[in-house]
């Protein structure tokens, strides 16, 4: 899916930024008031010690959490900015099961101001399990080795990552004077602390002012669902795509990408059994990348490839929703967005 979009953008086709440190915590002196750990606790890093970049490796203590628990970071009175940078070390501890089916998937999710920014599965238990997260160069520090805790060996191996080196975390579009970040491992496979867990260390959050964050402009109308994004469309970063107000009983949603907008001449779906619904772009790149549907919302984290040739180019987004008995076509559509890529 990611490769498909990258190739499509290539067919279409990090500036310097002033920065202010908002929070830095190495967990050596407990927790700052901005970090609410839930059931998480500060504990020794054991075998993770020394893994990581020079001057910023795992050391001493980190914040360890059971799966299913949410760690929340809340900041206020941010200076004027158009992006934030999120930098931390991530420890994947013991028998995380990836996207697999026993006993279910384990997904590390990061929400920023209520919007899903990152959601990838991590796998430690078996070498044949599927892990959706593919770390860019410099991110993976250790993979499926015994670094302490419930080990040794068997299902209880560990992995370590410097997520601050992932380009997607370097400049996340954001302008509000407040910031709330929620981190958790979720999914059908969550288990007790003695079976699997996760931790973070050397947490740093910065506010940035980038020269060209790109733009997102809404146009057209949906027939119920609405489309919005979180983050700026900067190349080499993630942008969260969110469909809201889906019909109750929606079973699928697709994120369509086009190169030509149809704002002045939208294609009506009324004759096909969906009155008030319109196609608002040509869907020439993708007719529908599958989104994660949860109740009346659908989400997709769009990794925008780092292609300098794409800066200044435009693309168009719309979401369609399959919802039985909503109309004769069983499909509803959202408004559309015109996206201009920045850097």
């Amino acid at each position: 899916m990611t490769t498909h979009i990258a190739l499509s953008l290539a067919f279409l086709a990090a500036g310097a930024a002033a920065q202010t440190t908002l929070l830095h915590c190495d967990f050596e002196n407990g927790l700052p008031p901005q970090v609410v750990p839930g059931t998480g606790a500060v504990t020794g890093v054991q075998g993770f010690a020394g893994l990581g970049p020079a001057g910023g490796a795992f050391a001493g203590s980190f914040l360890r959490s059971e799966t299913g628990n949410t760690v929340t970071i809340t900041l206020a009175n941010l200076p004027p900015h158009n992006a934030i940078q999120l930098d931390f070390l991530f420890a994947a501890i013991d028998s995380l099961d990836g996207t697999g089916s026993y006993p279910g998937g384990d997904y590390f999710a990061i929400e920023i101001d209520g919007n899903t920014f990152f959601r990838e599965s991590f796998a430690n238990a078996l070498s044949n399990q599927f892990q959706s997260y593919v770390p860019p160069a410099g991110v993976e520090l250790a993979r499926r080795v015994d670094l302490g805790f419930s080990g040794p060996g068997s299902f209880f191996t560990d992995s370590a990552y410097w997520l601050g080196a992932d380009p997607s975390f370097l400049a996340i579009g954001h302008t509000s004077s407040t910031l709330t970040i929620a981190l958790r491992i979720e999914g059908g496979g969550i288990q007790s602390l003695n079976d699997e867990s996760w931790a973070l260390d050397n947490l740093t959050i910065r506010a940035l002012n980038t020269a060209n964050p790109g733009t997102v402009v809404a146009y057209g109308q949906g027939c119920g669902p609405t489309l919005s994004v979180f983050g700026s469309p900067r190349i080499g970063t993630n942008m969260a795509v969110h469909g809201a107000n889906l019909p109750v009983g929606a079973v699928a949603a697709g994120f369509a990408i086009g190169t030509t907008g149809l704002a002045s001449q939208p294609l009506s779906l009324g004759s096909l059994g969906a009155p008030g619904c319109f196609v608002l772009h040509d869907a020439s790149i993708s007719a529908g990348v599958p989104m994660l549907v949860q109740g009346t919302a659908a989400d997709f984290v769009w990794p925008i490839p780092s292609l300098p040739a794409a800066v200044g180019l435009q693309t168009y987004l719309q979401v369609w929703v399959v919802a039985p008995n909503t109309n004769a076509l069983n499909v509803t559509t959202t408004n559309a967005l015109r996206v201009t890529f920045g850097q």
Side-chain angles (χ1 to χ4, degrees), residues 3-312:
T3 301
H4 171 71
I5 296 175
L7 292 173
S8 299
L9 282 179
F11 176 76
L12 282 174
Q19 58 181 254
T20 301
T21 298
L22 303 174
L23 176 69
H24 175 73
C25 182
D26 59 10
F27 304 104
E28 298 308 300
N29 297 296
L31 292 170
Q34 298 95 330
V35 178
V36 178
T39 60
V42 175
T43 188
V45 301
Q46 298 192 32
F48 285 88
L51 297 174
F58 284 101
S61 300
F62 56 18
L63 178 58
R64 184 186 179 202
S65 173
E66 61 185 339
T67 57
N69 173 60
T70 300
V71 174
T72 305
I73 304 162
T74 304
L75 303 175
N77 301 315
L78 275 63
H81 62 288
N82 59 22
I84 60 168
Q85 183 181 98
L86 186 57
D87 187 355
F88 63 94
L89 301 171
F90 173 66
I93 302 172
D94 291 337
S95 64
L96 297 173
D97 297 296
T99 307
S101 58
Y102 178 78
D106 289 309
Y107 295 84
F108 183 47
I110 302 174
E111 293 180 359
I112 300 178
D113 291 343
N115 298 280
T116 301
F117 164 72
F118 180 91
R119 189 179 187 271
E120 299 284 356
S121 68
F122 286 80
N124 286 337
L126 298 171
S127 59
N128 62 354
Q129 289 177 320
F130 178 75
Q131 174 171 303
S132 69
Y133 183 61
V134 179
V139 171
E140 185 177 289
L141 307 174
R143 183 79 172 95
R144 297 191 70 250
V145 295
D146 179 15
L147 298 174
F149 300 94
S150 295
S154 184
F155 301 119
F156 300 108
T157 58
D158 310 298
S159 300
Y161 304 88
W162 176 24
L163 289 183
D166 186 323
S168 297
F169 289 72
L170 297 181
I172 305 161
H174 188 273
T175 57
S176 174
S177 62
T178 62
L179 172 65
T180 301
I181 302 175
L183 307 97
R184 71 179 68 87
I185 286 185
E186 61 185 23
I190 58 175
Q191 294 172 287
S192 68
L193 191 70
N194 290 331
D195 196 289
E196 59 186 21
S197 58
W198 61 279
L200 68 155
D201 200 3
N202 288 336
L203 169 67
T204 303
I205 303 172
R206 301 179 179 92
L208 311 177
N209 279 292
T210 63
N212 177 15
T215 61
V216 178
V217 178
Y219 70 90
Q221 293 184 343
C223 50
T226 58
L227 172 61
S228 62
V229 298
F230 175 81
S232 300
R234 300 176 64 256
I235 60 171
T237 67
N238 286 352
M239 188 169 69
V241 180
H242 180 66
N245 303 317
L246 275 63
V248 175
V251 296
F255 165 47
I257 310 170
T259 57
T260 302
L262 303 176
S264 60
Q265 294 182 313
L267 174 63
S268 173
L269 298 178
S271 62
L272 299 178
C277 301
F278 295 90
V279 174
L280 296 169
H281 65 68
D282 63 359
S284 57
I285 292 178
S286 175
V289 177
M291 302 176 72
L292 175 65
V293 176
Q294 295 180 303
T296 58
D299 292 283
F300 178 75
V301 179
W302 186 17
I304 302 174
S306 183
L307 297 174
V311 175

